[in-house]
Amino acid sequence: MRIINAISLLVSSALAASAAIPCLHIGKEIHGHIIRTGLDSDAVVWSALSDMYGKCGSIEEARHIFDKTVDRDVVSWTAMIGRYFEEKRSEEGFALFMNLIRSGIRPNEFTFAGVLNACADHAAEGLGKQVHGYMTRIGFDPFSFAASALVHMYSKCGNIETAKMVLKGMPYPDLVSWTSLISGCAQHGQPEEALQFFELLLKSGSQPDQITFVGVLFACTHAGLVDKGLEYFYSIKEKHGLTYTANHYACIIDLLARSGRFKEAEDIIDEMPIKPDKFLWASLLSGCRIHGNLELATQAAEALFEIEPENPATYITLANIYATAGMWDEVAKIRKTMDDRGVVKKPGLSWIEIKREVHVFLVGDTSHPNSKEIYEFLGELSKRMKEEGYVPDTNFVLHDVEEEQKEQNLFYHSEKLAVAFGIITTPPGTPIKVFKNLRTCVDCHTAIKFISKIMKRKIIVRDSNRFHCFEDGSCSCRDYW
């Protein structure tokens, strides 16, 4: 009875913590009471203690209790691993998962799902593959949501073919799996396949939800399928009886704006029953950048300045639009506004994994041990690219400087450095996969198409928006992103 009461108190404390009530001190008092009354020999009590500390935000104490627990079961392991991921301490979470494997205790589907979702969030495909291999060796249940997590992980990491294979091996794919694959195909430049999987979802008897339609609309957006996208958009409410979300509106505005159909976009915005959010205005601003719509771009930017004045992306995009139009006085005004408001441009960051080691590059980076070799290679490559017809796109270089300096600034962008490093450190013909924290620029996109053809390499670049698969001078996005 005493043990049950202690556990009840700890659970209550943990629940209070999850409701944002500051009660860590209460939990510590209970902990002290447990030690004084001799209840600290019970494994269940230790598990409840660890849970309480974790939910109260004291992860170090939770780990201390976890390490002292003698009879740790898979539930305790899974909870502790999950806490690290929740606290954005992924390396420690992955390390603890490996400790679990070595302990001989068999992970359950909750463990696998948590680790695979973390792999998806961090684009850690290498570790995800190891987890998949382990799951296969011990014989995981294809009906479990761990299988859905596998589809999600491979889709987010850009290995869309393996994601398809996993889904096809599932007897009855659930909605999460269908949705992950639809979104993955859309992001990977396979919009037709994304829509085919959506039709297969409907034929399977599953009912799409609001998240599914975000993937469907995304597929239409990046294939330029405006009329098809509008058809799906209106079917959300009329055919499937679902309510529109802010994401649906952002997607349809993105689709219309990218296609230059601004009047239709404005009509939908005017008729929206909900207030446009930052994603919708950003989508509209992006479309204005493509088509040089200065008037509407200013309107979208003003709305974004009110919602999130600290976001540098709005200032940079508007400055790019002015720079393209040669309006350098307006560019200078935006720079001054950024300075006055203390807004700092987020640095472009790209990384590539070679032999299980991650290499990170900034624009113009010279800190890497192979910098000299990288820059020499890019210099020679630049000559070959120009011979093949490459012309640097300096339209979006904000600085009003000489053309030669603009070209030099462009050629040392972080994704080009990462791609160059991948080429010089891997055997000929090896596919290269680079990740970037921001949207790739127009010039880098053009340049990498030339590089893929000259070097005969498949180059995948995952930017903040989607995957770009470059091969033999073409990109999977069809230059529509």
Side-chain angles (χ1 to χ4, degrees), residues 247-296:
N247 285 334
H248 295 148
Y249 283 112
C251 284
I252 201 65
I253 296 304
D254 193 17
L255 175 60
L256 292 168
R258 285 172 184 271
S259 302
R261 293 166 65 164
F262 294 109
K263 179 61 171 64
E264 292 170 82
E266 290 182 272
D267 289 343
I268 288 179
I269 293 173
D270 291 339
E271 296 171 2
M272 285 174 57
I274 58 178
K275 187 177 180 179
D277 65 4
K278 62 182 181 180
F279 300 107
L280 182 147
W281 289 120
S283 296
L284 185 61
L285 182 60
S286 180
C288 291
R289 178 189 61 79
I290 295 170
H291 297 281
N293 189 326
L294 289 170
E295 181 180 351
L296 201 53

Side-chain angles (χ1 to χ4, degrees), residues 57-94:
S58 184
I59 195 167
E60 303 300 342
E61 289 285 354
R63 179 61 187 269
H64 176 70
I65 297 297
F66 173 81
D67 288 339
K68 288 182 67 175
T69 305
V70 178
D71 298 319
R72 291 174 292 194
D73 59 11
V74 67
V75 176
S76 301
W77 280 95
T78 301
M80 191 66 233
I81 292 167
R83 289 186 196 106
Y84 278 124
F85 293 139
E86 289 168 6
E87 294 295 319
K88 311 299 182 185
R89 294 166 61 168
S90 56
E91 287 189 13
E92 290 163 285
F94 291 137

Side-chain angles (χ1 to χ4, degrees), residues 194-255:
L195 299 181
Q196 287 172 11
F197 279 114
F198 177 68
E199 295 301 326
L200 288 174
L201 179 157
L202 297 177
K203 290 178 182 178
S204 74
S206 296
Q207 292 299 316
D209 64 7
Q210 293 162 319
I211 299 174
T212 310
F213 275 105
V214 172
V216 170
L217 293 174
F218 190 86
C220 294
T221 296
H222 291 279
L225 302 174
V226 184
D227 293 331
K228 190 70 174 175
L230 287 167
E231 180 185 328
Y232 281 125
F233 176 74
Y234 290 117
S235 76
I236 293 173
K237 185 176 181 180
E238 296 171 1
K239 184 177 179 180
H240 297 279
L242 300 170
T243 55
Y244 291 120
T245 68
N247 285 334
H248 295 148
Y249 283 112
C251 284
I252 201 65
I253 296 304
D254 193 17
L255 175 60

